[in-house]
Amino acid sequence: MVFQQTIHLPAYPRGFHLITRLVEREFTDMQQIRLGLLQVFIQHTSASLTINENADPTVRGDFERFFNKTVPENAPYYQYNYEGSDDMPAHLKAAMLGHSVTIPITNGQLNLGTWQGIYLGEHRDNGGRRTLVLTAWGE
């Protein structure tokens, strides 16, 4: 069985946001899969997806501070700046973190570790709504 669905996330402020529950709530077809995989893909180049700590919100703040220091705005070597000072750093952060995550499905549910969740990395000050393509396959 293969299921695919496109979902639209609300606009999030810049930072890292847990979207695990939203994905589970929106993608009910996943419940039909006993054993399989879910790929979550974001259709944007200035936002990212990753899996990490889902319990303590200070981790998400630490992620944001780390990436802002590692990939600063207004670096003198950036040539691309058509959409503002946060745009090129957003593209670099997204390239570092990636645009998809793959998660096992067991008995219709995501088989994440106890302290794992799916993060949306919103790397723009005003990124707007983001689109995810969810594809699940299995038996």
Side-chain angles (χ1 to χ4, degrees):
M1 291 187 288
V2 178
F3 300 98
Q4 189 171 77
Q5 180 178 335
T6 299
I7 65 171
H8 302 283
L9 301 177
Y12 284 94
R14 183 171 169 164
F16 288 84
H17 307 277
L18 277 172
I19 60 167
T20 313
R21 299 294 167 245
L22 187 146
V23 168
E24 291 172 328
R25 183 178 66 242
E26 295 292 322
F27 197 39
T28 57
D29 285 337
M30 182 176 63
Q31 296 169 2
Q32 298 179 53
I33 297 177
R34 185 181 62 77
L35 182 65
L37 294 170
L38 170 67
Q39 181 197 41
V40 183
F41 175 80
I42 190 163
Q43 292 184 318
H44 301 274
T45 59
S46 59
S48 62
L49 298 170
T50 192
I51 294 174
N52 217 291
E53 163 75 47
N54 71 352
D56 189 334
T58 63
V59 173
R60 294 187 297 279
D62 288 344
F63 260 67
E64 179 66 8
R65 286 183 292 278
F66 170 82
F67 280 99
N68 287 340
K69 185 175 181 178
T70 304
V71 186
E73 291 186 23
N74 299 310
Y77 45 84
Y78 295 152
Q79 292 183 349
Y80 179 82
N81 61 4
Y82 300 118
E83 296 181 42
S85 63
D86 66 337
D87 194 40
M88 190 62 226
H91 291 292
L92 293 170
K93 292 171 189 177
M96 291 169 72
L97 287 162
H99 294 90
S100 68
V101 293
T102 304
I103 305 157
I105 299 170
T106 305
N107 296 322
Q109 297 183 353
L110 296 179
N111 196 344
L112 289 163
T114 302
W115 307 111
Q116 289 182 318
I118 305 168
Y119 284 15
L120 164 69
E122 176 52 71
H123 306 303
R124 298 292 312 271
D125 290 329
N126 297 296
R129 296 181 68 190
R130 301 298 191 170
T131 303
L132 301 179
V133 178
L134 310 174
T135 306
W137 62 95
E139 54 182 42

Short mmCIF file of all heavy atoms in Angstrom, two decimals, residues 51-81:
data_model
loop_
_atom_site.label_atom_id
_atom_site.label_comp_id
_atom_site.label_asym_id
_atom_site.label_seq_id
_atom_site.Cartn_x
_atom_site.Cartn_y
_atom_site.Cartn_z
N ILE A 51 14.74 15.47 13.06
CA ILE A 51 14.17 14.77 14.22
C ILE A 51 15.09 15.02 15.40
O ILE A 51 16.31 14.87 15.27
CB ILE A 51 14.03 13.27 13.95
CG1 ILE A 51 12.99 13.04 12.84
CG2 ILE A 51 13.64 12.51 15.22
CD1 ILE A 51 12.86 11.60 12.39
N ASN A 52 14.49 15.40 16.53
CA ASN A 52 15.30 15.61 17.73
C ASN A 52 14.41 15.63 18.96
O ASN A 52 13.24 15.26 18.89
CB ASN A 52 16.16 16.87 17.59
CG ASN A 52 17.52 16.68 18.22
OD1 ASN A 52 17.64 16.58 19.44
ND2 ASN A 52 18.53 16.59 17.38
N GLU A 53 14.94 16.11 20.05
CA GLU A 53 14.33 16.17 21.39
C GLU A 53 12.91 16.75 21.35
O GLU A 53 12.70 17.84 20.83
CB GLU A 53 15.23 17.03 22.28
CG GLU A 53 14.62 17.54 23.54
CD GLU A 53 14.49 16.49 24.61
OE1 GLU A 53 15.47 15.75 24.85
OE2 GLU A 53 13.40 16.38 25.20
N ASN A 54 11.95 16.01 21.92
CA ASN A 54 10.58 16.49 21.87
C ASN A 54 10.02 16.95 23.22
O ASN A 54 8.87 17.33 23.31
CB ASN A 54 9.66 15.42 21.29
CG ASN A 54 9.46 14.24 22.24
OD1 ASN A 54 10.10 14.14 23.28
ND2 ASN A 54 8.57 13.34 21.88
N ALA A 55 10.80 16.89 24.28
CA ALA A 55 10.26 17.18 25.61
C ALA A 55 10.63 18.57 26.12
O ALA A 55 9.77 19.30 26.60
CB ALA A 55 10.72 16.11 26.60
N ASP A 56 11.87 18.94 26.04
CA ASP A 56 12.33 20.18 26.65
C ASP A 56 12.44 21.28 25.59
O ASP A 56 13.28 21.20 24.69
CB ASP A 56 13.69 19.96 27.31
CG ASP A 56 14.14 21.13 28.15
OD1 ASP A 56 13.70 22.27 27.87
OD2 ASP A 56 14.93 20.91 29.08
N PRO A 57 11.63 22.33 25.67
CA PRO A 57 11.65 23.37 24.64
C PRO A 57 12.97 24.16 24.59
O PRO A 57 13.25 24.81 23.58
CB PRO A 57 10.49 24.29 25.02
CG PRO A 57 10.19 23.99 26.44
CD PRO A 57 10.61 22.57 26.68
N THR A 58 13.79 24.08 25.62
CA THR A 58 15.06 24.80 25.57
C THR A 58 15.98 24.22 24.49
O THR A 58 16.84 24.93 23.97
CB THR A 58 15.78 24.79 26.94
OG1 THR A 58 16.10 23.45 27.30
CG2 THR A 58 14.94 25.45 28.01
N VAL A 59 15.78 22.95 24.14
CA VAL A 59 16.59 22.35 23.07
C VAL A 59 16.30 23.07 21.76
O VAL A 59 17.22 23.38 21.00
CB VAL A 59 16.32 20.83 22.95
CG1 VAL A 59 17.01 20.24 21.73
CG2 VAL A 59 16.74 20.11 24.22
N ARG A 60 15.04 23.35 21.49
CA ARG A 60 14.70 24.04 20.24
C ARG A 60 15.29 25.45 20.21
O ARG A 60 15.75 25.93 19.18
CB ARG A 60 13.19 24.04 20.05
CG ARG A 60 12.67 22.60 19.83
CD ARG A 60 11.21 22.54 19.48
NE ARG A 60 10.28 23.03 20.49
CZ ARG A 60 9.88 22.32 21.55
NH1 ARG A 60 10.32 21.10 21.74
NH2 ARG A 60 9.01 22.82 22.40
N GLY A 61 15.31 26.11 21.35
CA GLY A 61 15.96 27.42 21.44
C GLY A 61 17.45 27.33 21.21
O GLY A 61 18.05 28.18 20.54
N ASP A 62 18.06 26.28 21.77
CA ASP A 62 19.50 26.07 21.55
C ASP A 62 19.80 25.81 20.08
O ASP A 62 20.80 26.29 19.54
CB ASP A 62 20.02 24.91 22.41
CG ASP A 62 20.11 25.26 23.89
OD1 ASP A 62 20.05 26.46 24.24
OD2 ASP A 62 20.23 24.32 24.70
N PHE A 63 18.93 25.05 19.41
CA PHE A 63 19.10 24.82 17.98
C PHE A 63 19.09 26.15 17.24
O PHE A 63 19.96 26.42 16.41
CB PHE A 63 17.95 23.95 17.44
CG PHE A 63 18.28 22.50 17.25
CD1 PHE A 63 18.54 21.68 18.34
CD2 PHE A 63 18.30 21.95 15.99
CE1 PHE A 63 18.82 20.34 18.17
CE2 PHE A 63 18.58 20.60 15.81
CZ PHE A 63 18.85 19.80 16.90
N GLU A 64 18.11 27.00 17.53
CA GLU A 64 18.00 28.28 16.84
C GLU A 64 19.24 29.14 17.09
O GLU A 64 19.80 29.71 16.15
CB GLU A 64 16.73 29.01 17.31
CG GLU A 64 16.52 30.37 16.67
CD GLU A 64 16.25 30.34 15.17
OE1 GLU A 64 16.07 29.25 14.58
OE2 GLU A 64 16.25 31.43 14.57
N ARG A 65 19.69 29.23 18.32
CA ARG A 65 20.87 30.04 18.62
C ARG A 65 22.13 29.48 17.94
O ARG A 65 22.94 30.23 17.39
CB ARG A 65 21.06 30.15 20.13
CG ARG A 65 20.05 31.10 20.78
CD ARG A 65 20.28 31.27 22.26
NE ARG A 65 20.00 30.04 23.02
CZ ARG A 65 18.77 29.67 23.41
NH1 ARG A 65 17.72 30.40 23.09
NH2 ARG A 65 18.61 28.57 24.10
N PHE A 66 22.28 28.16 17.94
CA PHE A 66 23.44 27.54 17.30
C PHE A 66 23.47 27.86 15.80
O PHE A 66 24.49 28.27 15.25
CB PHE A 66 23.44 26.02 17.51
CG PHE A 66 24.47 25.32 16.67
CD1 PHE A 66 25.79 25.25 17.09
CD2 PHE A 66 24.14 24.74 15.45
CE1 PHE A 66 26.76 24.63 16.31
CE2 PHE A 66 25.09 24.11 14.67
CZ PHE A 66 26.40 24.06 15.10
N PHE A 67 22.34 27.65 15.12
CA PHE A 67 22.33 27.86 13.67
C PHE A 67 22.46 29.34 13.32
O PHE A 67 23.07 29.69 12.31
CB PHE A 67 21.10 27.22 13.03
CG PHE A 67 21.28 25.74 12.82
CD1 PHE A 67 20.74 24.83 13.71
CD2 PHE A 67 22.04 25.27 11.77
CE1 PHE A 67 20.95 23.46 13.54
CE2 PHE A 67 22.25 23.91 11.59
CZ PHE A 67 21.70 23.00 12.47
N ASN A 68 21.92 30.23 14.16
CA ASN A 68 22.08 31.66 13.89
C ASN A 68 23.53 32.09 14.05
O ASN A 68 24.01 32.97 13.33
CB ASN A 68 21.19 32.49 14.81
CG ASN A 68 19.73 32.39 14.41
OD1 ASN A 68 19.41 32.04 13.28
ND2 ASN A 68 18.86 32.69 15.34
N LYS A 69 24.25 31.48 14.98
CA LYS A 69 25.67 31.81 15.15
C LYS A 69 26.52 31.15 14.05
O LYS A 69 27.45 31.76 13.53
CB LYS A 69 26.15 31.33 16.52
CG LYS A 69 27.57 31.74 16.81
CD LYS A 69 28.00 31.38 18.22
CE LYS A 69 29.43 31.83 18.45
NZ LYS A 69 29.90 31.56 19.78
N THR A 70 26.17 29.93 13.69
CA THR A 70 26.93 29.19 12.68
C THR A 70 26.73 29.77 11.28
O THR A 70 27.66 29.81 10.47
CB THR A 70 26.52 27.71 12.69
OG1 THR A 70 26.71 27.19 14.02
CG2 THR A 70 27.31 26.88 11.71
N VAL A 71 25.51 30.22 10.99
CA VAL A 71 25.17 30.78 9.68
C VAL A 71 24.58 32.18 9.91
O VAL A 71 23.37 32.35 9.96
CB VAL A 71 24.16 29.88 8.93
CG1 VAL A 71 23.94 30.39 7.51
CG2 VAL A 71 24.62 28.42 8.89
N PRO A 72 25.44 33.18 10.07
CA PRO A 72 24.97 34.51 10.42
C PRO A 72 24.31 35.24 9.25
O PRO A 72 24.58 34.94 8.09
CB PRO A 72 26.24 35.24 10.84
CG PRO A 72 27.31 34.58 10.03
CD PRO A 72 26.90 33.12 9.95
N GLU A 73 23.47 36.20 9.60
CA GLU A 73 22.92 37.09 8.58
C GLU A 73 23.96 38.14 8.23
O GLU A 73 24.87 38.41 9.01
CB GLU A 73 21.65 37.76 9.10
CG GLU A 73 20.50 36.80 9.26
CD GLU A 73 19.20 37.48 9.63
OE1 GLU A 73 19.04 38.69 9.36
OE2 GLU A 73 18.34 36.79 10.20
N ASN A 74 23.78 38.72 7.06
CA ASN A 74 24.61 39.85 6.60
C ASN A 74 26.10 39.53 6.50
O ASN A 74 26.93 40.43 6.63
CB ASN A 74 24.40 41.07 7.50
CG ASN A 74 22.97 41.54 7.48
OD1 ASN A 74 22.39 41.73 6.41
ND2 ASN A 74 22.37 41.69 8.65
N ALA A 75 26.44 38.28 6.26
CA ALA A 75 27.85 37.95 6.07
C ALA A 75 28.34 38.65 4.80
O ALA A 75 27.64 38.64 3.78
CB ALA A 75 28.04 36.45 5.99
N PRO A 76 29.51 39.24 4.81
CA PRO A 76 29.98 40.02 3.66
C PRO A 76 30.22 39.18 2.41
O PRO A 76 30.28 39.72 1.31
CB PRO A 76 31.28 40.65 4.16
CG PRO A 76 31.72 39.79 5.29
CD PRO A 76 30.47 39.23 5.91
N TYR A 77 30.34 37.87 2.56
CA TYR A 77 30.61 37.01 1.40
C TYR A 77 29.34 36.53 0.70
O TYR A 77 29.41 35.90 -0.33
CB TYR A 77 31.48 35.82 1.81
CG TYR A 77 31.06 35.15 3.10
CD1 TYR A 77 30.06 34.18 3.13
CD2 TYR A 77 31.67 35.50 4.31
CE1 TYR A 77 29.68 33.59 4.31
CE2 TYR A 77 31.29 34.90 5.49
CZ TYR A 77 30.28 33.94 5.49
OH TYR A 77 29.89 33.35 6.66
N TYR A 78 28.15 36.82 1.24
CA TYR A 78 26.90 36.45 0.56
C TYR A 78 26.70 37.35 -0.66
O TYR A 78 26.79 38.57 -0.55
CB TYR A 78 25.68 36.59 1.46
CG TYR A 78 25.62 35.67 2.66
CD1 TYR A 78 24.95 36.08 3.80
CD2 TYR A 78 26.22 34.43 2.67
CE1 TYR A 78 24.86 35.25 4.92
CE2 TYR A 78 26.14 33.60 3.77
CZ TYR A 78 25.46 34.02 4.90
OH TYR A 78 25.38 33.21 5.99
N GLN A 79 26.38 36.75 -1.79
CA GLN A 79 26.02 37.52 -2.97
C GLN A 79 24.51 37.55 -3.15
O GLN A 79 23.96 38.54 -3.62
CB GLN A 79 26.69 36.93 -4.21
CG GLN A 79 28.18 37.12 -4.21
CD GLN A 79 28.82 36.60 -5.49
OE1 GLN A 79 28.19 35.92 -6.30
NE2 GLN A 79 30.08 36.93 -5.67
N TYR A 80 23.84 36.46 -2.77
CA TYR A 80 22.39 36.36 -2.94
C TYR A 80 21.70 37.06 -1.77
O TYR A 80 21.83 36.64 -0.63
CB TYR A 80 21.98 34.89 -3.01
CG TYR A 80 20.49 34.67 -3.15
CD1 TYR A 80 19.89 34.76 -4.40
CD2 TYR A 80 19.70 34.38 -2.06
CE1 TYR A 80 18.54 34.57 -4.55
CE2 TYR A 80 18.34 34.18 -2.20
CZ TYR A 80 17.76 34.28 -3.44
OH TYR A 80 16.41 34.10 -3.59
N ASN A 81 20.97 38.14 -2.06
CA ASN A 81 20.26 38.85 -1.00
C ASN A 81 18.96 39.47 -1.52
O ASN A 81 18.51 40.48 -0.99
CB ASN A 81 21.15 39.91 -0.36
CG ASN A 81 21.60 40.96 -1.34
OD1 ASN A 81 21.21 40.96 -2.51
ND2 ASN A 81 22.45 41.87 -0.88
#
